[in-house]
């Protein structure tokens, strides 16, 4: 499949690997300001190992899925988009991989719909509750300053799209230049950046909290990632009730692009465990 629809919105999807009954499937969810291409290397490596991979351009990133108003980007809507993709693809349970904001969606999907999640591989993004607790007790609040800045109307878009600001910020955070340029160019599409920032602007609306996760979890994070305090990383384990493993990588924030081998290994380990348990 190349696309799917939900509630009148049209989502573009990368779908690679065997579409066969019983074949394992992985759902890969990108973050800000990426797109599904962040998982290109991961997807093709997993497909080569017999795993079907679904990687959508999420709400706000797909040209046909940019509704107006911040309420349209609240977390329950983002999770419902992911469930709708699994339904459209005929996948009952998937090994879910999420990076950055895609990681928030992945944690919530695993907490709210564990019957649809065979395992979770969280990339960079800690459990949201661990992050919330660390804001009050550590440097996490300072590291997340941009969340407050994104609440301002219009100004964040004007600043980030001005004379290569977004591209330079991405390069400074250790994203390779060619990828920083790609993401910055796509952010300049009409309405795209405002829609992507809508995810942040929807945060004050509250809503359902992300609870304890009971599916198997692997948490991969880079030790040079500037966006997550040690307290956030370490606190994540307290919100997982199932098998849990954490691995620190020699990288920064952009794990799917820079450490695809580690991501693939983590997913395949979950696939192997699922197969062994089924046997």
């Amino acid at each position: 499949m190349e696309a799917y629809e939900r509630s009148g919105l049209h989502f573009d999807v990368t779908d690679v690997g065997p579409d066969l009954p019983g074949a394992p499937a992985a759902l890969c969810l990108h973050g800000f300001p990426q797109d599904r291409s962040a998982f290109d290397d991961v997807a093709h490596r997993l497909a080569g190992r017999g795993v079907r991979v679904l990687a959508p351009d999420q709400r706000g990133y797909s040209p046909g899925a940019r509704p107006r108003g911040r309420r349209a980007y609240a977390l329950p809507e983002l999770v419902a988009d992911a469930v709708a993709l699994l339904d459209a693809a005929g996948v009952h349970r998937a090994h879910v991989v999420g990076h950055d904001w895609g990681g928030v969606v992945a944690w919530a999907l695993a907490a709210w719909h564990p019957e649809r999640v065979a395992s979770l591989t969280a990339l960079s993004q800690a459990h949201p509750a661990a992050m919330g607790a660390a804001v009050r007790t550590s440097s996490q609040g300072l590291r997340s300053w941009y969340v407050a800045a994104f609440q301002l109307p219009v100004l964040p878009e004007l600043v980030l799209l001005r004379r290569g600001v977004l591209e330079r910020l991405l390069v400074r955070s250790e994203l390779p230049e060619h990828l920083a340029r790609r993401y910055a160019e796509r952010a300049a599409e009409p309405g795209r950046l405002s829609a992507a920032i809508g995810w942040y602007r929807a945060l004050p609306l509250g809503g359902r909290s992300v609870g304890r996760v009971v599916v198997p979890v692997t948490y991969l994070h880079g030790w040079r990632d500037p966006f997550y305090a040690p307290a956030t990383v370490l606190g994540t384990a307290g919100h997982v009730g199932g098998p849990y493993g954490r691995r620190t990588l020699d990288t920064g924030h952009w794990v799917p692009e820079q450490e695809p081998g580690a991501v693939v290994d983590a997913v395949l380990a979950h696939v192997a465990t699922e197969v062994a348990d089924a046997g």
Side-chain angles (χ1 to χ4, degrees), residues 6 27 279:
R6 174 180 174 252
L27 171 64

Side-chain angles (χ1 to χ4, degrees), residues 4 29 43 48 65 73 107 136 138 167 208 234 239 251 259 264:
Y4 78 103
L29 303 171
Y73 298 93
W107 281 109
R136 301 185 293 270
S138 72
E167 181 177 342
R208 186 177 180 183
L234 296 176
H239 299 277
T251 190
E259 292 286 347
V264 169

Side-chain angles (χ1 to χ4, degrees), residues 41-221:
D41 202 349
V42 170
H44 289 292
R45 293 190 193 198
L46 285 175
R49 298 293 296 273
V51 178
R52 182 186 182 188
V53 179
L54 301 166
D57 277 346
Q58 296 192 82
R59 178 175 293 235
Y61 295 84
S62 285
R66 292 178 186 160
R68 298 177 63 85
R70 63 177 181 166
R71 191 170 297 277
Y73 298 93
L75 185 56
E77 293 291 343
L78 307 175
V79 172
D81 292 341
V83 173
L85 171 53
L86 295 180
D87 290 343
V91 173
H92 178 63
R93 297 176 78 236
H95 296 274
V96 180
V97 184
H99 176 248
D100 186 81
W101 252 115
V104 177
V105 178
W107 281 109
L109 177 61
W112 300 346
H113 300 282
E115 74 284 356
R116 306 302 301 268
V117 180
S119 71
L120 167 61
T121 301
L123 311 179
S124 304
Q125 178 63 49
H127 189 287
M131 194 166 181
V135 165
R136 301 185 293 270
T137 60
S138 72
S139 64
Q140 187 60 61
L142 291 174
R143 293 170 184 259
S144 301
W145 65 268
Y146 55 91
V147 176
F150 281 169
Q151 301 308 312
L152 296 171
V154 183
L155 183 60
E157 290 93 322
L158 293 177
V159 172
L160 291 176
L161 294 177
R162 185 174 182 268
R163 298 180 181 178
V165 169
L166 179 57
E167 181 177 342
R168 289 196 298 274
L169 288 174
L170 293 174
V171 171
R172 191 179 302 169
S173 68
E174 298 190 27
L175 185 67
E177 288 188 15
H178 70 286
L179 293 176
R181 186 173 304 111
R182 170 184 167 78
Y183 296 152
E185 288 175 350
R186 293 212 65 188
E189 295 174 3
R192 183 186 178 99
L193 185 57
S194 291
I197 293 177
W199 293 40
Y200 295 92
R201 290 175 175 150
L203 282 172
L205 299 177
R208 186 177 180 183
S209 62
V210 178
R212 193 171 180 83
V213 171
V214 298
V215 306
V217 174
T218 298
Y219 178 23
L220 304 180
H221 66 98

